[in-house]
Amino acid sequence: MINRRSFIGSAAAGILLPASLARAAVKTNPFTLGVASGCPRSDSVILWTRLAPDPLQGGGMPPADIAVGFRVWEDAERRKLLREGTVAAPAADAHSVHLKLAGLRPGREYWYSFTIGDFESPLGRTRTTSRDTGNVRLALASCQSWQSGFYAAHSDIATWAPDCVIHIGDYIYEGGIGTIGTRTVQKPGETLSFRTVRLHNSAEIVTLWDYRNRYALYKSDRALQAAHAAAPWIVAMDDHEVDNNWAGDVPQDPWAQTPLEFRVRKLAAFKAWYEHMPVERPPKIDGISASLAMNDVFRFGQAQVHLLDTRQHRSDQVCGEGFPGQAPCTELGIAERTLLGTAQEQWLARELRASGARYNVLASQIWLSPWRFDAGGDAPEVNMDAWDGYPAARQRLIGTLADGVANPVIISGDWHCAAAMTLHERPFDPSSRPIAREFAGTSISSDCGWMREMEDSRAVNAHARYLNARHRGYCRFEADARHWTTTYRTVADPYHAESPVRTDVEMRLTDL
Ligand code: FE
Ligand code: CA
């Protein structure tokens, strides 16, 4: 029954404590942060856990690399053991485990767990991809502010158990500690109210210690753990995993942190992100500079998903900080300003040309479709942090998509409200040729304080078929040989962990 025992990983960085000594060094359950899997391929997947008996205080592990046991089964009842072995949890990676499980079969489910002595992790389910899958089921999640709501949406994702969860950023928020209670915001004709239901664990996070403890706080949530244990995830960070609205080497508030400080902060943020995500590639670290290889391509049956990195390679935002809309300025027109960077733009064009998939999905952190907040005219007021703030780069991408790419589907987040839109060749001219459909997910739990402005500007945004800025939730996508179906799931009460989650609207696409 057992066909392979293996030891994976090396302990080049330190002494590897064998299982018996490792067990002696761990006094309480080290699997407090659950398990996860990610980067699903047709023959491999990454399995993740992190040993953290004292999760909010740096983890609480001794400063040695630890040998962790793992087992993989072909059934949820754990009757058919496929593989078992040992993998290193390096101290230098905060005792996280990134185990690449290779040699798997396409389109199959697997179950896995980790052990240290008699401590055993929760059981995780994962799934390899397949080009031949008839019906693909994907979930889209983003923006899960700890303080502003509970994760009922994640419980619903766990119940649905899709082929993959695509998380496109704001997995954590970097801010400090709020105040429990209700906060009201006065808008013309309406008083909006928002609640803070639970608190962050420190002031604004800056150091590696801070980022690790913040990830541990978020990952202590049972619903989030359940969603990770239910399906593999593909993940790309947005801004709040580092600092609000950062761009390349520029923080949101360059007057408050020097370039050197921001570089060190980014290194810490990137390292902690790797340590807590089921991804394959650690950050490349060169002195105090770090970079992540985040953009990637995944194939799920009829759908090819291009996961974009719209944060790390972008030019800085221009024109000012007007919110939610900012009037344009001369710099907006500079042709060289980029959002993806040249290398990623070329990579994306290559992947799209070679895809052959029926649906070509672009998972973009930020909205690709336009949204204007003014009354109409030639100078639209837009969110300068989204693709709206990078019109030349967007036009280049539209050119690529218009050039024979089958059924481009954009899925996006960041903006905390749900919208289904059509992207046109001239984005602000809905009479121009339709190029792509966009489904912007809402947020798992983050507030949309600009919901009134979104609703009030709906009439001048005729390319939007659906808008819901009032509810938290996530999207389900299903693709088969005939249809693409998007289902917006909404959380009835974001301030209640056990809230019901319902279908708000279901949309079915035929070919573009
Ligand atoms: Fe967000
Ligand atoms: Ca964001």
Side-chain angles (χ1 to χ4, degrees):
M1 205 160 78
I2 301 165
N3 38 35
R4 225 190 292 177
R5 279 195 72 89
S6 56
F7 176 80
I8 297 172
S10 71
I15 323 147
L16 183 76
L17 281 193
S20 54
L21 283 175
R23 173 61 187 89
V26 179
K27 300 281 181 274
T28 57
N29 176 27
F31 298 108
T32 55
L33 305 179
V35 296
S37 70
C39 291
R41 308 286 177 190
S42 62
D43 61 348
S44 71
V45 70
I46 303 292
L47 302 184
W48 176 93
T49 193
R50 182 184 161 211
L51 307 177
D54 191 6
L56 302 184
Q57 300 285 338
M61 292 295 293
D65 299 346
I66 304 285
V68 181
F70 70 88
R71 284 198 190 102
V72 180
W73 295 270
E74 292 183 81
D75 62 325
E77 294 72 34
R78 303 194 240 192
R79 290 200 196 94
K80 289 188 71 183
L81 182 67
L82 176 73
R83 222 172 279 179
E84 65 177 329
T86 309
V87 58
D93 292 337
H95 298 98
S96 59
V97 169
H98 296 80
L99 167 62
K100 183 168 185 173
L101 203 63
L104 303 176
R105 285 192 276 172
R108 293 287 295 261
E109 291 176 285
Y110 297 94
W111 285 262
Y112 60 95
S113 74
F114 297 96
T115 53
I116 290 219
D118 47 338
F119 290 121
E120 183 169 16
S121 76
L123 185 68
R125 166 200 177 261
T126 192
R127 198 176 196 283
T128 50
T129 63
S130 169
R131 284 189 165 248
D132 305 320
T133 300
N135 182 30
V136 179
R137 298 154 76 247
L138 304 170
L140 172 71
S142 68
C143 296
Q144 49 195 40
S145 167
W146 175 266
Q147 299 195 133
S148 56
F150 292 103
Y151 296 162
H154 277 311
S155 297
D156 197 57
I157 290 175
T159 307
W160 194 49
D163 298 341
C164 185
V165 177
I166 304 169
H167 196 295
I168 48 173
D170 293 358
Y171 189 102
I172 58 163
Y173 282 74
E174 81 282 18
I177 303 172
T179 310
I180 293 280
T182 303
R183 167 175 62 86
T184 58
V185 182
Q186 221 42 63
K187 299 275 175 174
E190 188 180 11
T191 304
L192 304 177
S193 82
F194 303 101
R195 273 169 62 186
T196 297
V197 294
R198 48 184 177 175
L199 296 179
H200 274 158
N201 51 339
S202 71
E204 181 161 339
I205 54 176
V206 178
T207 66
L208 180 56
W209 171 267
D210 297 339
Y211 281 100
R212 282 174 174 167
N213 290 339
R214 183 60 56 89
Y215 276 104
L217 176 71
Y218 277 60
K219 290 183 86 83
S220 69
D221 186 279
R222 294 287 156 187
L224 178 57
Q225 288 191 14
H228 274 296
W233 286 39
I234 60 179
V235 292
M237 70 163 65
D238 191 29
D239 53 337
H240 289 288
E241 284 88 342
V242 181
D243 187 20
N244 182 45
N245 284 5
W246 67 280
D249 287 324
V250 188
Q252 67 157 342
D253 44 6
W255 55 91
Q257 40 194 331
T258 66
L260 193 67
E261 284 169 334
F262 186 65
R263 246 202 280 174
V264 174
R265 182 178 186 182
K266 218 168 84 174
L267 190 158
F270 282 13
K271 181 137 187 10
W273 180 82
Y274 167 74
E275 289 167 356
H276 293 85
M277 293 296 133
V279 293
E280 188 169 4
R281 296 172 288 202
K284 238 176 84 193
I285 294 174
D286 177 14
I288 58 160
S289 297
S291 61
L292 278 166
M294 239 168 352
N295 58 297
D296 212 333
V297 59
F298 299 88
R299 184 62 172 262
F300 302 94
Q302 304 287 334
Q304 178 156 301
V305 176
H306 307 79
L307 182 67
L308 303 185
D309 175 352
T310 57
R311 199 52 69 177
Q312 209 179 173
H313 307 291
R314 64 158 77 192
S315 313
D316 195 17
Q317 296 91 344
V318 291
C319 301
E321 307 276 322
F323 191 89
Q326 161 71 50
C329 63
T330 329
E331 286 74 37
L332 195 62
I334 298 172
E336 292 71 34
R337 291 183 66 248
T338 181
L339 195 56
L340 300 177
T342 311
Q344 190 179 188
E345 270 184 29
Q346 291 169 351
W347 161 85
L348 179 60
R350 256 193 333 269
E351 293 293 346
L352 287 168
R353 262 198 308 274
S355 143
R358 184 177 173 84
Y359 303 100
N360 286 285
V361 180
L362 268 55
S364 166
Q365 286 74 32
I366 48 172
W367 288 23
L368 183 63
S369 297
W371 194 274
R372 64 189 306 164
F373 292 92
D374 60 313
D378 292 335
E381 288 174 23
V382 297
N383 169 19
M384 291 291 169
D385 184 58
W387 281 89
D388 266 338
Y390 299 80
R394 175 163 65 190
Q395 217 56 52
R396 286 196 295 276
L397 180 51
I398 286 172
T400 303
L401 294 175
D403 187 20
V405 173
N407 295 312
V409 176
I410 317 303
I411 61 178
S412 57
D414 169 67
W415 201 233
H416 305 183
C417 62
M421 299 168 280
T422 302
L423 174 68
H424 292 267
E425 190 156 33
R426 291 187 301 282
F428 291 99
D429 176 6
S431 69
S432 65
R433 179 183 163 199
I435 299 297
R437 307 286 186 200
E438 177 160 355
F439 300 104
T442 177
S443 56
I444 293 287
S445 60
S446 306
D447 294 335
C448 183
W450 48 98
M451 61 175 89
R452 273 304 290 249
E453 289 87 337
M454 292 301 294
E455 289 166 356
D456 292 347
S457 56
R458 176 94 193 261
V460 284
N461 289 282
H463 62 293
R465 299 283 302 277
Y466 163 76
L467 173 72
N468 182 346
R470 302 263 161 177
H471 286 94
R472 313 282 64 82
Y474 73 101
C475 284
R476 292 176 175 178
F477 304 120
E478 288 170 87
D480 60 31
R482 298 161 77 188
H483 300 290
W484 172 282
T485 307
T486 297
T487 305
Y488 278 96
R489 298 283 289 173
T490 51
V491 174
D493 178 1
Y495 307 131
H496 199 288
E498 314 296 327
S499 167
V501 180
R502 308 190 182 100
T503 292
D504 193 36
V505 64
E506 186 178 296
M507 292 169 227
R508 181 159 285 186
L509 281 191
T510 46
D511 282 339
L512 260 178

